[in-house]
Amino acid sequence: MKKFLLLFTLSAHFVLAQFTDIHIIKEIRSKDRGLVVSAHPLASEAGAKVLKMGGNAFDAVIATQYALAVVYPQAGNLGGGGFLVGVKNNGEKFAIDFRETAPEKSSRDMYLDNKGKANTELSQNGRLAVGVPGSVAGFFATLKHAKLPMEKLIQPAIDLAEQGFALTEREANLLNSQMQFFNQHNTAKTAFQKEKWKAGDVLVQKDLAETLKLIQKNGAKGFYEGRTANLIVGEMKRGNGIITFNDLKNYHATERKPIVFDYKGNEIVSMPLPSSGGILLAQMLKMSSFENLENFQQNSADAVQIMVEAERRAFADRAEFMGDPDFIQDQTSMLISDAYLKNRWKSFDKNWATPSSAVGKIISQTKESTETTHISIIDKDGNAVAVTTTLNGLYGSKVVVSGAGFFLNNEMDDFSIKPGVPNMFGAVGGEANSIKPGKRMLSSMTPTIVLKNRKPFIVVGTPGGTTIPTSVFQSIVNVVDFKLNPNLTVNLPKFHHQWLPESVQVENGFPEITLKLLEKKNYIFEKVSQIGRTEMIVIDENGNAVAVADGRGDDSVAME
Ligand code: DON
């Protein structure tokens, strides 16, 4: 009896030790072994574990996302949405759109008061800010490309939620910083509320474990119908929420044709509308290639000017033309055509900053950024997957579904709630991105896979709102044109411009000489502490792979 107890204690301790020992690994090199890079070491490990069980990259990405929904509540989610780009070893390329939708009771002017003034507090916080969640439908849509049953892929997340895991210092601080909002937006006490979190505290999420078990047992219906749906609709009723049972039941993830284009002999595969990411990436890469970027150095004044001007023109188009292709005329082929872009580039002047008013009809101004998360994975068989998922803001709407244990998104703010009123990332838009029931809000997420000789060469993506496409743009240019290694590519200071505001953001540590030279040409800079968290895998022609997790967070790599 005593022996049994001892054994039991030992194994319980072992399990707990597994989740309280957090090892952040920033870079792994490998050949012929699967690699997973995500925002949290335990989530990357969940993906690697599934690869070891014989799963492929698509199995691993499902397991990693479920795990992130537990260990990275600021952005990993069941209550949000995202986009996935996959390339299979047989050459098949696909994109899965599991973006949130506007509820059936939503309407174009729902965030305007009776004087027509937009109320961004309502589109950004609390129950009215929530779009119909897409993540769980997205995981099931991905399953078609996977090998293992969902029951197995979800198990690591259930263990993490039930047994708990140790918070890193960064997470503890983040939770503390948001406590007043959790208190303000929740009626019942949630697992995330506590006087003060500190590093090493164990976060246990019993309600979330129950929700995950329902999905394990009943499939997507375990989320969109039955108990979980009841709890979501119940949560809506505790405030001004409008999501109905029908909204949940009718939600569908959609497989879309990725955007595919050539960049200097590399085949880029990225996300189409309703994300603006792939279009912007194509526009920026193509426009900057008119100026032989490869002749300049990374972050030099010449290179930055060319790239900023490409960003300015692309983002002006975002505001005017882009939205959910099921609701608007899809202008993608025109927007990424060489003829259109050459014409757009005619106003480039290397002696002077192009005023934003010269490339698009000016609308309005900016605010700061928050949270999303990206995963890059390759497996030993040559499959690759990039997925970016989001709650939009940090912990989304800050509302936790009482009894179900997960945060709901505040994605409605990504619609243009009124023409010219910027969203929380300063992006403006008009009719193309106006609110309509069932419509998907325009995104900037840019999960991207670059192929060389038809094989995965770069797998990349990042959070960061509107800075996502510009970060992915820089990542690709850094490797292809400036020949930087993946670590420098991810970790050197980045910059960002988005047409409006007129200024260019640069991360602290950006070369001063570049700023001085460009200020003489009328560029205005704004220093910011961080842009994005890039998760990148680069594989050379001989199959040697390097996976790098961004140094700006607790992001971590795991190997099969
Ligand atoms: O879909 C989008 O573009 C935004 N909701 C993404 C938000 C985001 O990346 C926040 N992360 N830092």
Side-chain angles (χ1 to χ4, degrees), residues 523-546:
Y523 287 91
I524 306 156
F525 292 98
E526 180 200 343
K527 290 199 174 151
V528 296
S529 57
Q530 284 190 358
I531 297 179
R533 305 242 183 107
T534 305
E535 322 292 7
M536 185 179 215
I537 305 176
V538 179
I539 311 114
D540 73 13
E541 309 83 270
N542 303 318
N544 299 303
V546 186

PDB file of all heavy atoms in Angstrom, residues 523-546:
ATOM      1  N   TYR A 523      10.678  62.255 -43.652  1.00  0.00           N
ATOM      2  CA  TYR A 523      10.024  61.137 -42.949  1.00  0.00           C
ATOM      3  C   TYR A 523       9.944  61.472 -41.456  1.00  0.00           C
ATOM      4  O   TYR A 523      10.843  62.125 -40.906  1.00  0.00           O
ATOM      5  CB  TYR A 523      10.812  59.831 -43.152  1.00  0.00           C
ATOM      6  CG  TYR A 523      10.648  59.301 -44.553  1.00  0.00           C
ATOM      7  CD1 TYR A 523      11.545  59.676 -45.568  1.00  0.00           C
ATOM      8  CD2 TYR A 523       9.575  58.483 -44.886  1.00  0.00           C
ATOM      9  CE1 TYR A 523      11.372  59.221 -46.866  1.00  0.00           C
ATOM     10  CE2 TYR A 523       9.397  58.022 -46.182  1.00  0.00           C
ATOM     11  CZ  TYR A 523      10.296  58.395 -47.161  1.00  0.00           C
ATOM     12  OH  TYR A 523      10.109  57.947 -48.446  1.00  0.00           O
ATOM     13  N   ILE A 524       8.862  61.022 -40.843  1.00  0.00           N
ATOM     14  CA  ILE A 524       8.659  61.264 -39.406  1.00  0.00           C
ATOM     15  C   ILE A 524       8.680  59.902 -38.712  1.00  0.00           C
ATOM     16  O   ILE A 524       8.006  58.960 -39.166  1.00  0.00           O
ATOM     17  CB  ILE A 524       7.277  61.906 -39.148  1.00  0.00           C
ATOM     18  CG1 ILE A 524       7.115  63.160 -39.998  1.00  0.00           C
ATOM     19  CG2 ILE A 524       7.059  62.223 -37.672  1.00  0.00           C
ATOM     20  CD1 ILE A 524       5.656  63.497 -40.250  1.00  0.00           C
ATOM     21  N   PHE A 525       9.435  59.782 -37.613  1.00  0.00           N
ATOM     22  CA  PHE A 525       9.538  58.489 -36.932  1.00  0.00           C
ATOM     23  C   PHE A 525       8.935  58.539 -35.540  1.00  0.00           C
ATOM     24  O   PHE A 525       8.973  59.565 -34.869  1.00  0.00           O
ATOM     25  CB  PHE A 525      11.014  58.063 -36.850  1.00  0.00           C
ATOM     26  CG  PHE A 525      11.573  57.734 -38.200  1.00  0.00           C
ATOM     27  CD1 PHE A 525      12.315  58.676 -38.906  1.00  0.00           C
ATOM     28  CD2 PHE A 525      11.313  56.506 -38.790  1.00  0.00           C
ATOM     29  CE1 PHE A 525      12.802  58.390 -40.173  1.00  0.00           C
ATOM     30  CE2 PHE A 525      11.793  56.211 -40.052  1.00  0.00           C
ATOM     31  CZ  PHE A 525      12.540  57.156 -40.746  1.00  0.00           C
ATOM     32  N   GLU A 526       8.412  57.379 -35.160  1.00  0.00           N
ATOM     33  CA  GLU A 526       7.874  57.232 -33.808  1.00  0.00           C
ATOM     34  C   GLU A 526       8.516  55.975 -33.234  1.00  0.00           C
ATOM     35  O   GLU A 526       8.447  54.905 -33.857  1.00  0.00           O
ATOM     36  CB  GLU A 526       6.358  57.051 -33.923  1.00  0.00           C
ATOM     37  CG  GLU A 526       5.641  56.880 -32.622  1.00  0.00           C
ATOM     38  CD  GLU A 526       4.260  56.221 -32.824  1.00  0.00           C
ATOM     39  OE1 GLU A 526       3.754  56.194 -33.958  1.00  0.00           O
ATOM     40  OE2 GLU A 526       3.738  55.715 -31.834  1.00  0.00           O
ATOM     41  N   LYS A 527       9.186  56.100 -32.070  1.00  0.00           N
ATOM     42  CA  LYS A 527       9.831  54.906 -31.501  1.00  0.00           C
ATOM     43  C   LYS A 527       8.827  54.102 -30.693  1.00  0.00           C
ATOM     44  O   LYS A 527       8.051  54.656 -29.922  1.00  0.00           O
ATOM     45  CB  LYS A 527      11.011  55.329 -30.625  1.00  0.00           C
ATOM     46  CG  LYS A 527      12.130  55.884 -31.472  1.00  0.00           C
ATOM     47  CD  LYS A 527      13.463  55.891 -30.763  1.00  0.00           C
ATOM     48  CE  LYS A 527      14.522  56.327 -31.754  1.00  0.00           C
ATOM     49  NZ  LYS A 527      15.661  56.993 -31.181  1.00  0.00           N
ATOM     50  N   VAL A 528       8.838  52.795 -30.889  1.00  0.00           N
ATOM     51  CA  VAL A 528       7.942  51.925 -30.126  1.00  0.00           C
ATOM     52  C   VAL A 528       8.780  50.819 -29.500  1.00  0.00           C
ATOM     53  O   VAL A 528       9.869  50.501 -29.979  1.00  0.00           O
ATOM     54  CB  VAL A 528       6.827  51.308 -31.020  1.00  0.00           C
ATOM     55  CG1 VAL A 528       5.905  52.371 -31.574  1.00  0.00           C
ATOM     56  CG2 VAL A 528       7.408  50.472 -32.149  1.00  0.00           C
ATOM     57  N   SER A 529       8.261  50.233 -28.398  1.00  0.00           N
ATOM     58  CA  SER A 529       9.099  49.260 -27.705  1.00  0.00           C
ATOM     59  C   SER A 529       9.205  47.941 -28.473  1.00  0.00           C
ATOM     60  O   SER A 529      10.268  47.339 -28.513  1.00  0.00           O
ATOM     61  CB  SER A 529       8.591  49.036 -26.285  1.00  0.00           C
ATOM     62  OG  SER A 529       7.256  48.623 -26.342  1.00  0.00           O
ATOM     63  N   GLN A 530       8.129  47.496 -29.100  1.00  0.00           N
ATOM     64  CA  GLN A 530       8.172  46.191 -29.779  1.00  0.00           C
ATOM     65  C   GLN A 530       7.248  46.156 -30.974  1.00  0.00           C
ATOM     66  O   GLN A 530       6.149  46.694 -30.934  1.00  0.00           O
ATOM     67  CB  GLN A 530       7.673  45.098 -28.836  1.00  0.00           C
ATOM     68  CG  GLN A 530       8.665  44.709 -27.795  1.00  0.00           C
ATOM     69  CD  GLN A 530       8.222  43.457 -27.047  1.00  0.00           C
ATOM     70  OE1 GLN A 530       7.156  42.904 -27.291  1.00  0.00           O
ATOM     71  NE2 GLN A 530       9.052  43.003 -26.146  1.00  0.00           N
ATOM     72  N   ILE A 531       7.693  45.477 -32.014  1.00  0.00           N
ATOM     73  CA  ILE A 531       6.806  45.194 -33.143  1.00  0.00           C
ATOM     74  C   ILE A 531       6.782  43.678 -33.347  1.00  0.00           C
ATOM     75  O   ILE A 531       7.773  43.069 -33.727  1.00  0.00           O
ATOM     76  CB  ILE A 531       7.284  45.890 -34.432  1.00  0.00           C
ATOM     77  CG1 ILE A 531       7.252  47.423 -34.277  1.00  0.00           C
ATOM     78  CG2 ILE A 531       6.435  45.453 -35.629  1.00  0.00           C
ATOM     79  CD1 ILE A 531       7.720  48.215 -35.474  1.00  0.00           C
ATOM     80  N   GLY A 532       5.631  43.068 -33.078  1.00  0.00           N
ATOM     81  CA  GLY A 532       5.404  41.659 -33.404  1.00  0.00           C
ATOM     82  C   GLY A 532       6.203  40.653 -32.608  1.00  0.00           C
ATOM     83  O   GLY A 532       7.033  40.993 -31.748  1.00  0.00           O
ATOM     84  N   ARG A 533       5.912  39.403 -32.850  1.00  0.00           N
ATOM     85  CA  ARG A 533       6.653  38.263 -32.299  1.00  0.00           C
ATOM     86  C   ARG A 533       6.704  37.222 -33.397  1.00  0.00           C
ATOM     87  O   ARG A 533       5.777  36.435 -33.564  1.00  0.00           O
ATOM     88  CB  ARG A 533       5.918  37.646 -31.123  1.00  0.00           C
ATOM     89  CG  ARG A 533       5.582  38.586 -30.024  1.00  0.00           C
ATOM     90  CD  ARG A 533       6.283  38.164 -28.744  1.00  0.00           C
ATOM     91  NE  ARG A 533       5.887  39.037 -27.678  1.00  0.00           N
ATOM     92  CZ  ARG A 533       5.079  38.690 -26.693  1.00  0.00           C
ATOM     93  NH1 ARG A 533       4.601  37.468 -26.638  1.00  0.00           N
ATOM     94  NH2 ARG A 533       4.769  39.549 -25.752  1.00  0.00           N
ATOM     95  N   THR A 534       7.772  37.224 -34.150  1.00  0.00           N
ATOM     96  CA  THR A 534       7.846  36.391 -35.346  1.00  0.00           C
ATOM     97  C   THR A 534       8.294  34.978 -35.012  1.00  0.00           C
ATOM     98  O   THR A 534       9.262  34.785 -34.279  1.00  0.00           O
ATOM     99  CB  THR A 534       8.829  37.042 -36.347  1.00  0.00           C
ATOM    100  OG1 THR A 534       8.389  38.387 -36.570  1.00  0.00           O
ATOM    101  CG2 THR A 534       8.862  36.287 -37.663  1.00  0.00           C
ATOM    102  N   GLU A 535       7.589  34.003 -35.541  1.00  0.00           N
ATOM    103  CA  GLU A 535       8.003  32.604 -35.388  1.00  0.00           C
ATOM    104  C   GLU A 535       8.385  32.140 -36.787  1.00  0.00           C
ATOM    105  O   GLU A 535       7.544  32.153 -37.687  1.00  0.00           O
ATOM    106  CB  GLU A 535       6.870  31.731 -34.839  1.00  0.00           C
ATOM    107  CG  GLU A 535       5.970  32.361 -33.774  1.00  0.00           C
ATOM    108  CD  GLU A 535       6.657  32.633 -32.446  1.00  0.00           C
ATOM    109  OE1 GLU A 535       7.886  32.464 -32.341  1.00  0.00           O
ATOM    110  OE2 GLU A 535       5.949  33.044 -31.502  1.00  0.00           O
ATOM    111  N   MET A 536       9.650  31.735 -36.939  1.00  0.00           N
ATOM    112  CA  MET A 536      10.146  31.482 -38.292  1.00  0.00           C
ATOM    113  C   MET A 536      10.922  30.179 -38.394  1.00  0.00           C
ATOM    114  O   MET A 536      11.700  29.827 -37.506  1.00  0.00           O
ATOM    115  CB  MET A 536      11.074  32.645 -38.655  1.00  0.00           C
ATOM    116  CG  MET A 536      11.575  32.608 -40.066  1.00  0.00           C
ATOM    117  SD  MET A 536      12.612  34.042 -40.355  1.00  0.00           S
ATOM    118  CE  MET A 536      12.218  34.382 -42.049  1.00  0.00           C
ATOM    119  N   ILE A 537      10.698  29.454 -39.492  1.00  0.00           N
ATOM    120  CA  ILE A 537      11.523  28.281 -39.804  1.00  0.00           C
ATOM    121  C   ILE A 537      12.087  28.494 -41.203  1.00  0.00           C
ATOM    122  O   ILE A 537      11.357  28.877 -42.119  1.00  0.00           O
ATOM    123  CB  ILE A 537      10.698  26.974 -39.779  1.00  0.00           C
ATOM    124  CG1 ILE A 537       9.980  26.805 -38.434  1.00  0.00           C
ATOM    125  CG2 ILE A 537      11.599  25.761 -40.045  1.00  0.00           C
ATOM    126  CD1 ILE A 537       9.060  25.593 -38.354  1.00  0.00           C
ATOM    127  N   VAL A 538      13.391  28.300 -41.340  1.00  0.00           N
ATOM    128  CA  VAL A 538      14.029  28.408 -42.661  1.00  0.00           C
ATOM    129  C   VAL A 538      14.722  27.074 -42.952  1.00  0.00           C
ATOM    130  O   VAL A 538      15.422  26.534 -42.101  1.00  0.00           O
ATOM    131  CB  VAL A 538      15.049  29.574 -42.697  1.00  0.00           C
ATOM    132  CG1 VAL A 538      15.721  29.642 -44.067  1.00  0.00           C
ATOM    133  CG2 VAL A 538      14.361  30.898 -42.392  1.00  0.00           C
ATOM    134  N   ILE A 539      14.502  26.551 -44.151  1.00  0.00           N
ATOM    135  CA  ILE A 539      15.064  25.238 -44.513  1.00  0.00           C
ATOM    136  C   ILE A 539      15.899  25.414 -45.778  1.00  0.00           C
ATOM    137  O   ILE A 539      15.403  25.963 -46.768  1.00  0.00           O
ATOM    138  CB  ILE A 539      13.935  24.209 -44.808  1.00  0.00           C
ATOM    139  CG1 ILE A 539      12.902  24.224 -43.673  1.00  0.00           C
ATOM    140  CG2 ILE A 539      14.486  22.799 -44.982  1.00  0.00           C
ATOM    141  CD1 ILE A 539      11.562  24.725 -44.073  1.00  0.00           C
ATOM    142  N   ASP A 540      17.162  24.984 -45.755  1.00  0.00           N
ATOM    143  CA  ASP A 540      17.985  25.151 -46.960  1.00  0.00           C
ATOM    144  C   ASP A 540      17.761  23.996 -47.945  1.00  0.00           C
ATOM    145  O   ASP A 540      17.026  23.051 -47.650  1.00  0.00           O
ATOM    146  CB  ASP A 540      19.462  25.372 -46.602  1.00  0.00           C
ATOM    147  CG  ASP A 540      20.146  24.104 -46.109  1.00  0.00           C
ATOM    148  OD1 ASP A 540      19.577  23.009 -46.270  1.00  0.00           O
ATOM    149  OD2 ASP A 540      21.255  24.224 -45.553  1.00  0.00           O
ATOM    150  N   GLU A 541      18.444  24.074 -49.118  1.00  0.00           N
ATOM    151  CA  GLU A 541      18.212  23.074 -50.181  1.00  0.00           C
ATOM    152  C   GLU A 541      18.546  21.654 -49.721  1.00  0.00           C
ATOM    153  O   GLU A 541      18.043  20.678 -50.244  1.00  0.00           O
ATOM    154  CB  GLU A 541      19.063  23.322 -51.446  1.00  0.00           C
ATOM    155  CG  GLU A 541      19.065  24.671 -52.063  1.00  0.00           C
ATOM    156  CD  GLU A 541      20.031  25.616 -51.388  1.00  0.00           C
ATOM    157  OE1 GLU A 541      19.614  26.296 -50.427  1.00  0.00           O
ATOM    158  OE2 GLU A 541      21.192  25.691 -51.819  1.00  0.00           O
ATOM    159  N   ASN A 542      19.452  21.558 -48.726  1.00  0.00           N
ATOM    160  CA  ASN A 542      19.843  20.219 -48.256  1.00  0.00           C
ATOM    161  C   ASN A 542      18.968  19.700 -47.129  1.00  0.00           C
ATOM    162  O   ASN A 542      19.270  18.675 -46.523  1.00  0.00           O
ATOM    163  CB  ASN A 542      21.302  20.239 -47.790  1.00  0.00           C
ATOM    164  CG  ASN A 542      22.215  20.722 -48.895  1.00  0.00           C
ATOM    165  OD1 ASN A 542      22.034  20.326 -50.043  1.00  0.00           O
ATOM    166  ND2 ASN A 542      23.151  21.609 -48.576  1.00  0.00           N
ATOM    167  N   GLY A 543      17.935  20.447 -46.816  1.00  0.00           N
ATOM    168  CA  GLY A 543      17.011  19.981 -45.778  1.00  0.00           C
ATOM    169  C   GLY A 543      17.434  20.359 -44.362  1.00  0.00           C
ATOM    170  O   GLY A 543      16.836  19.893 -43.394  1.00  0.00           O
ATOM    171  N   ASN A 544      18.462  21.203 -44.236  1.00  0.00           N
ATOM    172  CA  ASN A 544      18.842  21.661 -42.891  1.00  0.00           C
ATOM    173  C   ASN A 544      17.889  22.769 -42.477  1.00  0.00           C
ATOM    174  O   ASN A 544      17.771  23.780 -43.170  1.00  0.00           O
ATOM    175  CB  ASN A 544      20.266  22.215 -42.892  1.00  0.00           C
ATOM    176  CG  ASN A 544      21.258  21.155 -43.305  1.00  0.00           C
ATOM    177  OD1 ASN A 544      21.326  20.091 -42.689  1.00  0.00           O
ATOM    178  ND2 ASN A 544      21.993  21.418 -44.380  1.00  0.00           N
ATOM    179  N   ALA A 545      17.235  22.570 -41.342  1.00  0.00           N
ATOM    180  CA  ALA A 545      16.220  23.537 -40.909  1.00  0.00           C
ATOM    181  C   ALA A 545      16.674  24.279 -39.658  1.00  0.00           C
ATOM    182  O   ALA A 545      17.350  23.706 -38.798  1.00  0.00           O
ATOM    183  CB  ALA A 545      14.919  22.809 -40.636  1.00  0.00           C
ATOM    184  N   VAL A 546      16.319  25.553 -39.575  1.00  0.00           N
ATOM    185  CA  VAL A 546      16.543  26.346 -38.364  1.00  0.00           C
ATOM    186  C   VAL A 546      15.211  26.951 -37.966  1.00  0.00           C
ATOM    187  O   VAL A 546      14.557  27.607 -38.785  1.00  0.00           O
ATOM    188  CB  VAL A 546      17.518  27.524 -38.615  1.00  0.00           C
ATOM    189  CG1 VAL A 546      17.849  28.225 -37.302  1.00  0.00           C
ATOM    190  CG2 VAL A 546      18.773  27.065 -39.309  1.00  0.00           C
TER     191      VAL A 546
END
